[in-house]
Amino acid sequence: MMKINKSKVFAVIMAGGKGERLWPLSTEERPKPLISLNGQQTLLEDTVQRLFPLLNAENVFVITDEKSAVQAREILMLPEENIIAEPCRRNTAPCIALAAALIRRKCEDATMIILPADHRITPVKRFQEDLIDCIEQAQNGTLTILGVTPDKPATGYGYINAGEKIGPGLYKVNAFKEKPDFETAQHYMMDGNYWWNCGIFVWQVKTITEAFRKYSPALYEKIEAWGAGRDYLKDFETCEKISIDYAIMEKADNVVVKQASFQWNDLGTLGALYEITMKDFHENAISSPGKIQLEESDRNLIFCDDETEIRLEKIENCAVIKSGKSLLITSKW
């Protein structure tokens, strides 16, 4: 395993999503990266912490919206200037183009790690080991992505079709697949060469810049201008709204996937929240500081961030989510 040059490795945490599927835990005022699921650290803080000591704090950037940037600067032990507020939402490709430009100002031969702010990843040691493998692979001029081996036929994730093996846990990418229907997801799982796209990328700044030049010339022009010092606040809103998958990854021919060795959950749905929450004898997942009474009730999710007393009688496969003055009650997610 290589010894990385920490001064040339940067991380960019994308924290601009609203997380609407987790309402009322996640709201416009408190988006998903800024919620806590354990009563302690926020998901954003967890994401930053799992990068240490692999990276230097001054090389960790967070890109988010203006409201969230204020809160992020209060809770994160990072230089204030590393918390970057996008003037508007333009999806992941413009976000990554901006990050590449700003990092290039600091280090032209930098390697970038791109990761979402709202995932649950364990254990951290394996995650960091996988990142080191990806950093090493990225030195070969590839666009490297982490792929998670599916443990169920999930229809809510995009998939990566892994091809020829080129190293330990490393494969060329044959294709990216959109979120499938259940039957297709079952086929992918049985095939064994289809992995979940978890949205974690590693590449050199010069490699992703060249990819933008080839496949997304308008954003390439932005990288060149912003990298040379132009103020991105003046023209960021003119960027096309497009994901990095559509803009670059599905078109590029130098994409490599690293099979993840860690456990991963994107926490994007109530079902995902149910999966990570401790269960009682009747498979009820409960997270609350208050009194919870369950009678003849099975396989429910109860999540409450205050001491409200909650009682369920003869209820199955439901979710009861309370946060502040908001309450959600829904059947099986």
Side-chain angles (χ1 to χ4, degrees):
M1 189 174 290
M2 71 179 293
K3 181 176 174 59
I4 67 170
N5 184 343
K6 292 170 69 170
S7 67
K8 294 186 177 183
V9 180
F10 292 74
V12 178
I13 299 170
M14 298 185 294
K18 291 186 285 186
E20 294 169 320
R21 290 178 295 172
L22 284 185
W23 184 91
L25 295 178
S26 176
T27 64
E28 186 75 27
E29 293 299 316
R30 187 183 61 179
K32 189 166 62 161
L34 293 174
I35 67 174
S36 170
L37 296 180
N38 59 10
Q40 299 171 18
Q41 292 196 132
T42 64
L43 295 177
L44 177 56
E45 288 173 286
D46 286 343
T47 303
V48 171
Q49 285 299 319
R50 73 173 66 102
L51 291 169
F52 300 141
L54 185 64
L55 271 65
N56 296 323
E58 61 267 26
N59 285 6
V60 177
F61 289 76
V62 175
I63 299 185
T64 186
D65 59 83
E66 292 182 357
K67 281 185 182 178
S68 298
V70 174
Q71 298 176 66
R73 292 189 183 106
E74 292 174 353
I75 63 175
L76 297 177
M77 301 296 289
L78 298 176
E80 282 199 12
E81 63 271 20
N82 286 20
I83 314 296
I84 297 159
E86 292 177 325
C88 55
R89 289 190 174 99
R90 282 293 181 269
N91 213 319
T92 54
C95 174
I96 289 169
L98 173 59
L102 297 180
I103 289 172
R104 195 172 75 176
R105 291 182 187 178
K106 292 178 172 287
C107 179
E108 290 195 356
D109 58 344
T111 299
M112 297 171 60
I113 303 166
I114 308 291
L115 58 163
D118 49 10
H119 292 177
R120 183 175 186 267
I121 291 173
T122 55
V124 171
K125 185 175 186 295
R126 287 189 180 179
F127 170 69
Q128 293 191 356
E129 288 170 350
D130 285 352
L131 283 184
I132 290 171
D133 288 344
C134 290
I135 292 166
E136 184 174 23
Q137 174 59 39
Q139 308 313 304
N140 298 322
T142 58
L143 303 171
T144 310
I145 183 170
L146 279 160
V148 176
T149 305
D151 58 11
K152 60 181 179 293
T155 58
Y157 305 141
Y159 285 72
I160 303 164
N161 181 207
E164 177 190 350
K165 186 173 185 177
I166 60 172
L170 292 162
Y171 301 80
K172 290 184 178 179
V173 171
N174 283 340
F176 288 87
K177 300 293 185 179
E178 297 300 315
K179 296 175 182 178
D181 57 30
F182 185 74
E183 185 177 346
T184 304
Q186 284 183 310
H187 166 72
Y188 288 167
M189 190 168 176
M190 291 174 63
D191 182 280
N193 292 312
Y194 288 85
W195 303 332
W196 291 333
N197 181 351
C198 67
I200 300 175
F201 309 94
V202 183
W203 45 53
Q204 290 182 304
V205 168
K206 61 185 179 184
T207 305
I208 192 62
T209 301
E210 173 61 15
F212 274 110
R213 188 190 68 78
K214 290 174 67 174
Y215 306 114
S216 186
L219 283 175
Y220 168 73
E221 291 179 7
K222 301 282 191 187
I223 293 174
E224 291 297 294
W226 294 335
R230 190 169 76 193
D231 185 1
Y232 66 89
L233 294 174
K234 294 181 178 179
D235 61 352
F236 189 82
E237 65 180 1
T238 65
C239 294
E240 178 186 5
K241 285 184 177 180
I242 188 169
S243 72
I244 193 66
D245 289 335
Y246 282 134
I248 303 294
M249 304 304 290
E250 294 183 4
K251 301 173 183 176
D253 58 7
N254 60 332
V255 184
V256 169
V257 59
K258 163 69 179 175
Q259 187 174 20
S261 65
F262 50 81
Q263 300 295 312
W264 172 84
N265 191 309
D266 83 332
L267 302 176
T269 64
L270 293 178
L273 190 57
Y274 177 84
E275 286 181 12
I276 69 163
T277 305
M278 291 287 290
K279 316 290 191 301
D280 67 12
F281 185 72
H282 295 280
E283 291 298 305
N284 294 296
I286 303 168
S287 178
S288 173
K291 184 178 180 181
I292 307 296
Q293 291 181 285
L294 302 173
E295 292 191 11
E296 298 181 51
S297 297
D298 304 290
R299 298 178 300 280
N300 298 293
L301 170 65
I302 301 97
F303 204 102
C304 181
D305 58 11
D306 61 26
E307 296 188 358
T308 299
E309 184 173 346
I310 297 173
R311 181 184 178 99
L312 299 187
E313 294 184 4
K314 298 180 181 179
I315 300 292
E316 294 183 349
N317 301 322
C318 285
V320 178
I321 313 294
K322 183 181 185 297
S323 181
K325 295 182 179 181
S326 299
L327 174 67
L328 170 69
I329 302 173
T330 181
S331 57
K332 188 71 173 179
W333 38 89

